[in-house]
Structures are given as C-alpha cells and as structure tokens.
Amino acid sequence: MTTTTEPTLAPGTRLAHYEIERVLGSGAMGTVYRAHDTSLDRAVAVKVLRARLAEDPAVVERFVREARAAARVNHPNLTHIYFVGSEEGCNYFAMEYVPGTTFEEEIAARGPMPLARFVDVIVQAARGLSAAHGASVVHRDVKPSNLMLLPDGTVKVTDFGLAKSLGGDVDASGGGSLLGTPTYMAPEQCRGRGVDARTDVYALGLTAWYLLAGKPPFAAESLGQMLQDQMNTPLPSICAVRPELPPALDRVLASLCEKDPARRPSSMDEVAALFEPLRPRPLELATIMSRATAMAIDATLLGLVAGLLSGLALGLAKLLAFKVVPDYAFEVAFVAVAAAAQLGCEAWFGTTIGKWLFNLEVVRADGAAPGRLSLLVRFLVRFPGLAWFLLPASTAWIDITFTLLQLLAFVLGFAAFLAYRGRTISDLLTKTRVVYRSRR
C-alpha cells in the first residue's frame, strides 16, 4: 500500500448515483470507498483514480479501458464492475462491495493457513483469475491484500485497477513506468517488459507462499534489492519454514515462481490442477480385520513366490553344475521377496497386493506419502521374525525364539490397535497409519 497522502472525498459526496460513505483503503492507483448506490439501493465499492495520475490523459484512458475490460468478466470468484464514470475531476469506477477480510488481514489475525484451507482458497483465486484471463484481462497486481475472503468462505479477486487487456498495449508497463507491488511483482514486470497470464501466475505463487508462511518470501528493505530478488533469487523452500507440509508443495510453488515465464504453468486452470492433489482428504482408519486379512494374503503370496524363486535358483544351479549351492536358498529368496514386495510396494505405490485388495494404503497423518525411512522402520517392526530366515543353520531353540518374537509382534500390534484407536505399534513409531484409499 502506498504512503502517499491525498485528500479524500467527504461522506455524502455524490458521484453520479453513488453516495460516498467512508474510506475502505488506498493503493498506488487510487482510493477505494464504500458507497451507496441510490439507484439500486445497495452497497458498492467505488475506486477513485489519484489526482496526480488523473492529470495524464493516457493514464485516464487506460484506467477507463481496463475497467471496461474487467467489467466483461462475470465469475463467482471475481468482484464485478458496475459502472465507469468521471465527475468533477474524479475518474472512478463502481464495483461489487465485498463484506469480508483481505488475506493480508486474515494472516495477521490468525497466522499461516492450515493446508486444507490454503488449498481451498488458492484454487478459488486461480479459478477467478482464469476467468479474467479468458476475457483477455491480466490483473498485474495479485497480492494478499487484493484477495478477499467472505464469511461463507468464498474468495474474491479484487482491485483490477492495474489490469491490462491482452488486446491492448504490448508494453504493459505503460511506457517504462513501474506498475504493481514489488513484493509480489514478476521478473518481467520488474524489467518493464510485457505481461501475460503467467505474470499473474508468478504473483499468485508468491501470495500462496505468504499464506503458508505468514510472511512474503522476499522482504528486502530497499526497492533495488527487492527487484533483484524477484529477478534472480530462487523461491525459498516453504517446507523449510513448515516441515510438516508435503514436499510436493515446494515443487508446485517453485514452478509457479520460475523466473522465466516460459517455464511457469501457462494458465490458471493448470495452476488449480497442480494444487488440487495437495488437498488433504478425510482419513478413515482401516479395521483390524481388513488389516489382518491383507497381511495374511501378503504372507501367503510371499511364501508362494519365494518358494518358486528358490526352486528356480536350485534348478538353475544344478543345470549349470554349480558345486556350491546355499542350503538356505529358500530363506534368502523369502527375505528378498518380502523386502521387495512389502517395503518396495509401500514406498512406490503406497500399498501392497493384500492392502490393495482391501482398498488400503499407508499414509502420514496429513494423508501424504510417508518417507522411505519410515517405511523401513515399519517393515522391520512388523516382521522381526524375518531375521530367522537369514541364519545359515537353525536349531529348535532359534526356531522357537523367532517364532515367538514374530507372534509377540502381532500380539503387541493388535493390543496397540485396540488401545490407540486403530493404530498399531509400527504406526505409532513411524507416525503413519493404514487407511482406506480414495475411490479408485
């Protein structure tokens, strides 16, 4: 927001059929007032162009042209423009009054957004901007203070005062002047070059980072350093600020904030599609019966495959006349298959064959895929008896010990499941859980 002081319109001032009530805010282009539409008896917001800018006919012409361009767009996530006019030296347009709070005010009051709420609001903003771009209008000043959150959760993109029609001037900077908010300005804007939909993509990426971190990613004190950061400094990792967020979020935000516009998503529809998979979903913990049956299926399949592999290994060894054949080929094969099937499948696909048949998967508490180390610990905790198969020779004492060890693991897992409302020891140690998958 600008610090420039300028006389404001007094309450009761009439601009056409709009009666000024009070100031809502001010920015680089002008001041926004709440006003009463005496013709239709409703509240509206009226944006009045700054007097110093109104002295330039080219600026006034662009102000009117872009307001008319934005008025062509009708979408639930955009504020609607009703009227454009000029009276007593005031150039203004009237738009929908949005009784909500800006994202900037929301973050100041409540702190960084939780992931579920964040995905919802940022997808709504992307859809609104997509509608604007579909009408050949680029916002050019997307930032937290220009996104409104209504009481019912609806997001509105507001203030198209810097908007540019894609059918208008090629030089979006208006003859080399710097238009926009440096904290959320795309590199091409910083250089005074032409803009398109990908300019808004970059600014929405910075806005998204702000909503998750509670602060902008670039916060240099000088304008020159801020512009240098926007043009050259990579976007900081949001997961470094909030480690509980899914790593995929870093990749999505980095793609939105690529310095080269050609490497960013080409449309807001594509942006919305990138964020949608990050939306946390309700997790329904698997029942003990489904988990136990899935494990029994996995164990049976492991035994069959391991037996087949060990038989093939022994047959191949005899065929090639190997003189040294391990006596425990079956055991080695079983452990190898167990590791590949259990640990590998859960790492790559989030499930095993047994779990897949019962529509189950392994996830973190937030629904994201767990890390490889967590899955390894889960594997070792669930199957401690597998160590028995790696011994070159076994005795009755060793057999009984490891059989009891595996049985104890199952019993403790079942007890933990009952005590901790659907979570076993392996779940608790690795902060994971087995849940029903989303519908295939």
Side-chain angles (χ1 to χ4, degrees):
M1 303 293 279
T2 183
T3 57
T4 304
T5 59
E6 181 169 312
T8 58
L9 299 178
T13 302
R14 294 289 291 264
L15 297 175
H17 53 283
Y18 300 108
E19 184 175 305
I20 299 298
E21 294 180 348
R22 59 184 174 88
V23 174
L24 293 175
S26 62
M29 292 290 287
T31 302
V32 181
Y33 301 85
R34 177 185 164 116
H36 179 66
D37 182 342
T38 59
S39 176
L40 296 177
D41 190 22
R42 63 180 176 180
V44 297
V46 173
K47 182 159 190 174
V48 178
L49 185 66
R50 288 192 175 277
R52 61 181 178 81
L53 297 177
E55 297 173 358
D56 186 341
V59 173
V60 174
E61 191 274 334
R62 185 168 66 242
F63 178 81
V64 172
R65 184 179 69 239
E66 305 313 338
R68 288 173 176 166
R72 297 196 302 267
V73 189
N74 185 15
H75 191 273
N77 297 121
L78 297 177
T79 50
H80 305 143
I81 294 180
Y82 301 138
F83 186 84
V84 182
S86 176
E87 188 167 331
E88 298 181 359
C90 289
N91 296 277
Y92 67 94
F93 62 80
M95 55 187 168
E96 176 186 7
Y97 173 69
V98 180
T101 58
T102 68
F103 280 11
E104 188 173 59
E105 295 167 338
E106 183 76 7
I107 296 302
R110 300 190 181 187
M113 285 188 178
L115 181 60
R117 193 158 184 255
F118 160 79
V119 173
D120 181 59
V121 300
I122 212 70
V123 166
Q124 288 191 61
R127 288 171 178 162
L129 289 166
S130 175
H133 297 164
S136 299
V137 176
V138 180
H139 192 287
R140 288 201 294 169
D141 198 25
V142 176
K143 57 184 178 181
S145 60
N146 280 342
L147 299 177
M148 299 286 295
L149 186 61
L150 277 63
D152 64 359
T154 301
V155 174
K156 292 275 190 179
V157 182
T158 68
D159 199 352
F160 279 78
L162 295 181
K164 174 189 180 295
S165 171
L166 292 176
D169 301 333
V170 174
D171 181 6
S173 64
S177 60
L178 191 66
L179 294 180
T181 304
T183 308
Y184 300 94
M185 190 178 290
E188 58 269 25
Q189 282 179 291
C190 297
R191 296 185 174 96
R193 297 176 181 172
V195 303
D196 58 22
R198 295 168 298 182
T199 303
D200 287 347
V201 168
Y202 183 93
L204 186 63
L206 297 184
T207 299
W209 203 97
Y210 171 88
L211 298 182
L212 292 169
K215 59 183 180 180
F218 304 119
E221 295 184 0
S222 68
L223 175 61
Q225 184 57 53
M226 176 65 74
L227 298 181
Q228 284 297 320
D229 286 343
Q230 298 289 24
M231 291 187 288
N232 302 310
T233 304
L235 185 73
S237 166
I238 192 62
C239 291
V241 179
R242 292 181 57 183
E244 78 277 10
L245 294 174
L249 194 52
D250 262 336
R251 296 191 292 271
V252 171
L253 293 178
S255 70
L256 268 61
C257 296
E258 288 281 0
K259 305 303 181 183
D260 180 2
R263 301 184 63 182
R264 298 174 205 153
S266 59
S267 71
M268 284 294 175
D269 288 336
E270 187 177 343
V271 170
L274 289 173
F275 280 109
E276 278 291 0
L278 301 175
R279 190 189 300 273
R281 58 184 175 83
L283 300 180
E284 182 183 358
L285 292 178
T287 64
I288 189 65
M289 284 300 296
S290 59
R291 292 187 64 170
T293 309
M295 180 176 289
I297 292 173
D298 286 334
T300 301
L301 292 175
L302 290 177
L304 292 174
V305 175
L308 177 62
L309 290 180
S310 62
L312 290 175
L314 290 171
L316 182 61
K318 292 179 180 180
L319 180 64
L320 298 178
F322 285 169
K323 294 182 179 180
V324 180
V325 177
D327 293 331
Y328 52 99
F330 175 84
E331 288 81 352
V332 173
F334 186 87
V335 173
V337 173
Q342 293 287 328
L343 181 58
C345 286
E346 287 186 355
W348 294 323
F349 306 111
T351 189
T352 61
I353 294 177
K355 290 187 178 70
W356 181 83
L357 290 173
F358 284 84
N359 201 29
L360 306 179
E361 66 178 334
V362 181
V363 297
R364 299 189 320 191
D366 60 0
R372 302 295 172 85
L373 180 59
S374 295
L375 292 175
L376 176 60
V377 174
R378 276 183 59 86
F379 176 75
L380 296 176
V381 171
R382 292 167 64 214
F383 297 102
L386 282 178
W388 172 75
F389 290 101
L390 295 178
L391 296 177
S394 63
T395 65
W397 181 84
I398 293 177
D399 291 351
I400 294 173
T401 300
F402 282 105
T403 300
L404 291 176
L405 181 62
Q406 186 64 64
L407 180 60
L408 179 62
F410 288 147
V411 171
L412 291 177
F414 180 74
F417 185 92
L418 297 177
Y420 292 95
R421 299 181 180 180
R423 300 183 66 189
T424 64
I425 291 179
S426 60
D427 300 337
L428 295 171
L429 290 177
T430 59
K431 298 181 179 180
T432 58
R433 54 194 64 189
V434 178
V435 300
Y436 290 99
R437 296 168 60 92
S438 54
R439 182 172 299 177
R440 293 195 297 267

